[in-house]
Amino acid sequence: MTNQELQKSLEDMIKLAKERDLLEGRYNVTIEDVDIDEKIARFRYKADPADQNIYGGVHGGTTATIFDYAMGILLDALTEKYMSTIQLNIQYLKPMLADEYILECQALHVGRKVCQTIAKFIDASTGVPTAQAQASYVVVAADKAVKLQ
């Protein structure tokens, strides 16, 4: 797989989530760039007022959903298999008060049955990390097409 093929696969999955009006498709997430050799994808997330908590920051549930979504589609694209989350651990480092973030995801282990990832939200204006996560996923279908039907 090339960088261009990985980026296209991620763009297609983001588009599909929006077309199907899925929860993750409602967030303003776009692909920035990828590095197939390092198994990294960088996304841009533009916060919306509907994503905020009562204090004006991005809600922790929003952050968790976007972490899970971005790490999951990275693995889907890399493996061409349907993954399901089996563990998600998040550390909130700073209040997420900015308008835009870079979300950097990396696949650490891509196995036949279980995959592991890490990710971090970075304030796009300051470069300061605001949250980090690690997750594990299990392969539930060997054919990604099962999920797309």
Side-chain angles (χ1 to χ4, degrees):
M1 176 176 276
T2 66
N3 282 339
Q4 292 81 11
E5 290 168 331
L6 177 58
Q7 184 154 341
K8 172 80 168 85
S9 181
L10 291 167
E11 288 169 351
D12 289 348
M13 284 187 259
I14 291 170
K15 180 180 175 187
L16 183 65
K18 290 182 184 305
E19 288 173 355
R20 293 190 177 175
D21 197 29
L22 302 175
L23 174 63
E24 56 269 25
R26 296 178 187 173
Y27 297 114
N28 193 355
V29 175
T30 56
I31 186 73
E32 284 284 298
D33 63 29
V34 298
D35 183 331
I36 190 70
D37 295 328
E38 297 293 324
K39 298 182 188 119
I40 291 175
R42 288 178 195 85
F43 301 86
R44 181 170 294 270
Y45 162 62
K46 294 182 182 179
D48 184 271
D51 303 341
Q52 293 179 344
N53 58 31
I54 61 172
Y55 307 107
V58 177
H59 192 282
T62 299
T63 307
T65 300
I66 296 171
F67 267 137
D68 186 36
Y69 172 54
M71 290 186 286
I73 65 172
L74 173 60
L75 290 173
D76 284 355
L78 288 171
T79 65
E80 297 185 352
K81 296 177 182 172
Y82 175 33
M83 301 283 169
S84 183
T85 312
I86 54 176
Q87 176 268 330
L88 175 63
N89 182 40
I90 301 171
Q91 294 173 313
Y92 297 96
L93 307 172
K94 295 191 175 290
M96 294 182 63
L97 302 172
D99 294 327
E100 289 190 29
Y101 296 88
I102 300 299
L103 174 56
E104 185 175 289
C105 302
Q106 182 175 19
L108 296 178
H109 171 72
V110 180
R112 288 181 299 119
K113 296 187 180 192
V114 176
C115 300
Q116 299 183 346
T117 59
I118 57 171
K120 60 184 169 183
F121 267 103
I122 302 164
D123 183 319
S125 63
T126 65
V128 173
T130 57
Q132 60 190 22
Q134 66 176 33
S136 299
Y137 296 81
V138 65
V139 176
V140 294
D143 184 358
K144 186 168 78 171
V146 169
K147 181 176 79 170
L148 301 178
Q149 294 177 5

